[in-house]
Amino acid sequence: MKVVTAYLLGNTSPSADDLKNILGSIGADLDKERIELLLSEVKGKDIIEMIAVGKEKLASVPFGGEGVVVSTAGGGGDGGGAAPSRSNHRD
């Protein structure tokens, strides 16, 4: 992720050296293989178009919802809780 971030911080077509300088300036580890992989994957592509395609793909990803049931009620066991306090009650 840091390599992608460095790419987005660079000019419109950053080189491997540009990315290494950005990552080096913050003391991040340099993974030359990841840098080269990223640059080979984005070569000749428009960053704005790539972001738009990524947003479309993310829109189809389900985020929770259906089929998830969370129960907060104690179902059996020893009861597991203290009775409500009645400290404000006067007899």
Side-chain angles (χ1 to χ4, degrees):
M1 199 66 186
K2 64 186 171 193
V3 175
V4 173
T5 303
Y7 180 85
L8 293 172
L9 289 173
N11 56 39
T12 57
S13 184
S15 67
D17 286 337
D18 293 332
L19 298 180
K20 291 173 189 174
N21 287 336
I22 291 168
L23 293 169
S25 72
I26 60 167
D29 293 331
L30 300 177
D31 187 339
K32 294 176 185 177
E33 289 178 16
R34 286 186 185 247
I35 291 172
E36 294 301 328
L37 175 64
L38 174 70
L39 292 177
S40 70
E41 291 289 324
V42 299
K43 186 175 184 175
K45 296 180 182 175
D46 180 12
I47 189 67
I48 302 300
E49 290 176 19
M50 289 189 295
I51 291 171
V53 169
K55 285 175 68 175
E56 287 177 22
K57 288 181 180 180
L58 274 177
S60 66
V61 175
F63 290 98
E66 293 183 31
V68 178
V69 177
V70 177
S71 174
T72 57
D78 64 347
S85 173
R86 299 184 74 187
S87 61
N88 291 333
H89 178 71
R90 293 185 185 174
D91 290 321

